[in-house]
Amino acid sequence: MRKIEAIIKPFKLDEVKEGLMEIGVKGMTVTEVKGFGRQKGHTEIYRGAEYRVDFVPKIKIEVVVAADMVAEAVKVIEQKAKTGAIGDGKIFVSSLEEVIRIRTGERGKEAI
Amino acid sequence: MRKIEAIIKPFKLDEVKEGLMEIGVKGMTVTEVKGFGRQKGHTEIYRGAEYRVDFVPKIKIEVVVAADMVAEAVKVIEQKAKTGAIGDGKIFVSSLEEVIRIRTGERGKEAI
Amino acid sequence: MRKIEAIIKPFKLDEVKEGLMEIGVKGMTVTEVKGFGRQKGHTEIYRGAEYRVDFVPKIKIEVVVAADMVAEAVKVIEQKAKTGAIGDGKIFVSSLEEVIRIRTGERGKEAI
Amino acid sequence: MVNTGDTAFILVSAALVMFMTPGLALFYGGMVRNKNVLATIMQSYIIICLVSVSWTLWGYSLSFGPDVGGVIGNLSWFALTDVGLTPSADYATTVPHLAFMVFQLMFAIITPALITGAFAERMKFKTFLVFMILWSTLVYSPLAHWVWGSGGWLAKMGALDFAGGTVVHISSGISALAAVLVIAKRRGHGKEQFIPHNVPMTVTGAAILWFGWFGFNAGSALTSGGLAASAFVATHIAAAAAGLTWLITEWIHRGKPTTLGAASGSVAGLVAITPASGFVGPASALIIGGVAGTLCYLGVMAKSKFGYDDSLDVVGIHGVGGTWGALATGLFATVAVNEAGKDGLFFGNPAQLWIQFVSVVTTWVFAFVMTIIILKVLDATMGLKVSDEEEVRGLDITQHSETAYNV
Amino acid sequence: MVNTGDTAFILVSAALVMFMTPGLALFYGGMVRNKNVLATIMQSYIIICLVSVSWTLWGYSLSFGPDVGGVIGNLSWFALTDVGLTPSADYATTVPHLAFMVFQLMFAIITPALITGAFAERMKFKTFLVFMILWSTLVYSPLAHWVWGSGGWLAKMGALDFAGGTVVHISSGISALAAVLVIAKRRGHGKEQFIPHNVPMTVTGAAILWFGWFGFNAGSALTSGGLAASAFVATHIAAAAAGLTWLITEWIHRGKPTTLGAASGSVAGLVAITPASGFVGPASALIIGGVAGTLCYLGVMAKSKFGYDDSLDVVGIHGVGGTWGALATGLFATVAVNEAGKDGLFFGNPAQLWIQFVSVVTTWVFAFVMTIIILKVLDATMGLKVSDEEEVRGLDITQHSETAYNV
Amino acid sequence: MVNTGDTAFILVSAALVMFMTPGLALFYGGMVRNKNVLATIMQSYIIICLVSVSWTLWGYSLSFGPDVGGVIGNLSWFALTDVGLTPSADYATTVPHLAFMVFQLMFAIITPALITGAFAERMKFKTFLVFMILWSTLVYSPLAHWVWGSGGWLAKMGALDFAGGTVVHISSGISALAAVLVIAKRRGHGKEQFIPHNVPMTVTGAAILWFGWFGFNAGSALTSGGLAASAFVATHIAAAAAGLTWLITEWIHRGKPTTLGAASGSVAGLVAITPASGFVGPASALIIGGVAGTLCYLGVMAKSKFGYDDSLDVVGIHGVGGTWGALATGLFATVAVNEAGKDGLFFGNPAQLWIQFVSVVTTWVFAFVMTIIILKVLDATMGLKVSDEEEVRGLDITQHSETAYNV
Ligand SMILES: Nc1ncnc2c1ncn2[C@@H]1O[C@H](COP(=O)(O)OP(=O)(O)O)[C@@H](O)[C@H]1O
Ligand SMILES: Nc1ncnc2c1ncn2[C@@H]1O[C@H](COP(=O)(O)OP(=O)(O)O)[C@@H](O)[C@H]1O
Ligand SMILES: Nc1ncnc2c1ncn2[C@@H]1O[C@H](COP(=O)(O)OP(=O)(O)O)[C@@H](O)[C@H]1O
């Protein structure tokens, strides 16, 4: 079992979700995060004072998939989340020791 | 050291927390997330137009425990978070290489 | 490749970020979370009724670094996030199987 | 003859009172949980629509139309027949009859809206609509007629209620009590913590209520002049005093002065001064308000004692505050302020306190019994409470297919 | 002679109408996405500033100054020359001329602000400012002169528009239609879901609009008395009725009654009753409002049918509602309510409906053509729409370097 | 004799001015960080309660009661003794004395509330309460007496202050300056970024302020008629002009026009026109406002220059704007607008500018010295600032055990 974490641009969420569904991914978990990286933040102005905001709104998608699905899932995310502009984000893959579906108690592949 | 991540229904948070405390878990970290899965989202209506909202509010709990506590902690979460209805969520277990308590610099088991 | 997750006090974010940048970290992802631990929560009062709020606002920083940077990055976080008071937070280190930069398709070290 | 100053004052007052109900929507909306805020706001908002139509058609006629046995108006003013641009013979004789009508309408709107705080976060929207039409017709109109209608029996008995201590606050507060006894508690009541989701929203609502209450009380003078000014001042002072005493009471009781407490206290003061506002001087208003702040705080405490689920404390604030205000009118009223009024106990007329007491008890009993009956019937026919699952998901989604905030 | 009651009424009404534009800012602001809320609020807010200055300098003179051929006022009242503390000879002869001027100013502010809903979330701020100055001068002032100016040709023809059905609502609604035909759609229109980011904000805005609308319509009586009271009542009843019928219509159509629907419906009712408010009785108001609720709902549905991107439904509500109201005035008007008015079709005078029809068509054509021209010129010179990237990042950051919420 | 129109106008104006303080609560509340919003709102809200009680008991008597040596009123009107339903002999002789009293009360409320912006996010609540009682009694009442009290020495000297340039704005602005010199800066000031947490809340507050300011300035005519209309118009135009010039100034300076800038600018214009509003014509108002927008922007810039921590720019807006307005009154005043006024420098009377200057300097010195003294005493006895840890956790939790938003 692998966990894929992808940090993407917020407006790409729907496309990535559709893409993953098409290859058979059944579930995912999404978090609003703030990213810091090569992509510049912006300046805000309040009463004549300038404030630097370094963090950029991003979406983190977490998808757990069976090991044999990883490559395909990663490919889909890469394709769908890509704009080619700086700040498109990252994908991190890690391994899980166990996955459990709370409702049924199923473990492993069945639990996803 | 293991990290347990559990995606649960928001209103189950208190019960899960109590359950974990009872078996000696001292800390945890909680994030508001949005889940996508077998559980249906809902439809919203604004000025006569229907919008599908696929994401369901969920809570992610992260608990780091010593390896020998994992089974028990998972069991507690399973029991407490279960309603039997679709959308109860998942538990993911992964291994950590290191755990550090910032305040004291303690590492490993002592740091939890 | 390693992922460092640090749960810290919110007002320490800027210092930690600066510290990490100084040692060459180029990016990170930040999430608002709620922490539960030894640090006490607080009591709130609404219309004469007392409510216990156990969860404390925390910030979770996720930084992915090459294996040889881990020790240094952890040290910096420890130093910068430390106040010495309870609730300073934890650092968790785990290993990643793969890291991908969406924009370029780069993998591994190049992708960070 | 129509007086332009009086008419300007009544029309603006009517606008101010109208604004109170959206204010109430915010006051209540801020106190519920995120998932129920729209449903809570909606209950107030749709009452504005609903009662305005029913009042136009039959409510005004029942309340203020030609008297039938001191108990109710007849239907000869149905759809505002005979309610025109010139003053009525009986009410507010220096302003157009329509102005008086619409001023009264605003009272007829906010009164049922006040009740919604009691069963917030759990009532079925459809049943709610029916309940409100019935309550407005069967409870509000008779009460308004008794106290303010020409020929109403409580008025003839000499009961003083300047701007609605019995008609508005006791009636809503006691109906709230009836409602929470009939409608089941919220899931998790007593176990889960129901924390206000947006306190600034609630304070904003309280401020709008305060602002609008000037129209409510001073406008009830129905003319622009000394009496209106006096009622205005009494209103403001009582609200201020009650804000302070609630704060002090909770500071002593819980160790902290809260923003929600200051807001709640001032509303309690506004409630309590309502029946007295046109009959008492500033010093009396200070006392009436000051007592109300502490009394209503204790009133709110009562609910955890007795275990009923009055979500937003309608009983503790409007029931208790209205009762105190109606009785206090029997204590502090003085003809020095209002010749058309009476002296109260402290000004040498103990009989007035008795009359006030009778009007309070009557209102309690009538509102309580009627509300129980209406709700029991609706419970049997339509059902009152949403399902458990709907409660968990929240009323916004389940009753209205909306979410308040989409960030 | 200045009458104190009338003056108090007009000044307070002016304040109320002024308050409507911030209300509109919230009404619109709640409906856009998070990233555009400030830009949306800003468009209304800055119009208050901008139009107040241009109105003071030349707008008022063009609209109400000495007539030039029935078409426009001349510039002899530039910078309010001759507009003083005593009443004007032509307008509102019992209140200071300055009071009438400032009351009218508030109408001149909100009308262009209404249009902003059509192109919300996508217009360049700089171009927007220029557009508004031009629109206010070239569209609003002539229209106001025709209908309300002494010597205006539509007025002389006998067109009835009590508080701005043509001048305010049709003109803004039809200009909105012109605007959405010229300005490109929002990115993702028809694919992405544009969900209101803060519905309580929108409902609060609707409530402020309703509150202020009493000044708008009743204030348009320009005196305090029977007519003002009648307009006040008609306004309120129509809003209430429309809130209900919109709710019922969507309940039937989509299976759910929504909070946003109740709020939108009541605004639709307010729009529709505006031209009729001082000419019709309460029962007629009930009908006019009731029809408006359903009609404007259908009007809003039209946009998905025709595929234009009227972000916040200015066409569906103000265009449709204003047109219905202007025509309805030709149906329901009666001199029994307002001697200075006319009878409508239902009171035996079919000619009035024709006159109303002419004034509607005139306003449609004039507002549409002028707005197209202005926008085409601006498109060619300054550009109308922000870049794609700016749209994605949001107008708050890109146009104003601000974010609304920082939690 | 009581005039109904005048009374209606004053009472409604009083209600409007009352509404300004909750408006201010939102204006300020939106600009602080999340964790301090309730505490900020609370400071304004509780001042309404606190000062209303102290004003009723002794404040009004000190300010407007029978004169003692031109410096202060005596206590013979304690608890509003002799303040009744008929007009006073000295003030507002066509409205009930109570109406004048309560109108003035609303000014006495908002003035100290304005100061709270200076030390926002850091003051101890308990000390704050004591400070406000003392400031209101020892600073506000004398100043009000000097300028507006019958027999007050500045009034006798001929200083013009229509609605509170010195009494309200300079006094609060300069006391704010004194406060930020005594109370330590916020932790992280100059290093951390203090970004407004809710700009729509702030703009809503600004809009309510603008709305209420009509009551503030036009109401200060104390009658309904030409003067009120003129003051109303001047107020509105100045606000609009200042909104624009602030916007333009920052657009030039920083490259972006901001929503907060438009809101701040219009408030600056309202501040500046306050003393002049009943003495100047529309064109002068345009200039006074226009200058104020730029001047107050520069005033706000000053704080980063001098390094003091005036959290929400009370000095830059009320201190600078009030000073400019008071002096501008000496430039632009004309008896053509107000016979009871004077001509200013531009209308041939340079002496008036000198008188204005003296009144400004007097107010500066008096407010500054008194505030320093009061705060130094409180610092030594009760402590002014919360602890570092409390500051980090926020005042909402530590002072009031509440959180604003619970999502
Ligand atoms: N080392 C890192 N660890 C964790 N998250 C990172 C790291 N580097 C980048 N990110 C995340 O990826 C996002 C995009 O990175 P950025 O450097 O801006 O552009 P790009 O993805 O095109 O290289 C960042 O906003 C941040 O959320
Ligand atoms: N493959 C997955 N990867 C990550 N999160 C998942 C995955 N599948 C489900 N989830 C999370 O678990 C939640 C519950 O899943 P769902 O399929 O709705 O019901 P159930 O848990 O009963 O199978 C989802 O809302 C989502 O947050
Ligand atoms: N076992 C754990 N698993 C996950 N997160 C934890 C765990 N223990 C603590 N935390 C996180 O670390 C934060 C700080 O922990 P706490 O026990 O309060 O103080 P300290 O870090 O000084 O030991 C908590 O608020 C929580 O977010």
Side-chain angles (χ1 to χ4, degrees), chain F residues 236-316:
Chain F
H236 185 74
I237 292 177
L244 285 185
T245 53
W246 183 300
L247 198 82
I248 293 167
T249 309
E250 67 175 0
W251 208 336
I252 294 169
H253 180 218
R254 289 293 186 196
K256 284 278 164 141
T258 69
T259 314
L260 183 60
S264 307
S266 53
V267 171
L270 290 163
V271 167
I273 199 64
T274 296
S277 53
F279 302 115
V280 304
S284 303
L286 199 68
I287 299 170
I288 294 175
V291 171
T294 299
L295 213 60
C296 292
Y297 182 85
L298 300 176
V300 167
M301 291 300 98
K303 82 171 170 183
S304 39
K305 184 114 196 262
F306 294 107
Y308 54 84
D309 183 17
D310 177 12
S311 312
L312 310 176
D313 300 309
V314 186
V315 180

Side-chain angles (χ1 to χ4, degrees), chain A residues 69-109:
Chain A
M69 284 272 297
V70 170
E72 203 182 348
V74 165
K75 210 180 74 195
V76 165
I77 299 175
E78 275 194 77
Q79 283 168 357
K80 299 291 181 178
K82 184 168 174 169
T83 69
I86 215 161
D88 275 353
K90 313 275 188 232
I91 304 173
F92 307 135
V93 182
S94 57
S95 79
L96 288 181
E97 301 203 333
E98 185 65 284
V99 176
I100 299 137
R101 163 173 285 129
I102 294 174
R103 172 164 50 96
T104 57
E106 287 160 296
R107 318 253 145 173
K109 260 189 164 174

Side-chain angles (χ1 to χ4, degrees), chain E residues 367-384:
Chain E
F368 189 83
V369 172
M370 289 299 290
T371 304
I372 293 273
I373 295 174
I374 298 173
L375 286 174
K376 286 284 182 194
V377 170
L378 292 178
D379 197 11
T381 49
M382 308 181 69
L384 297 172

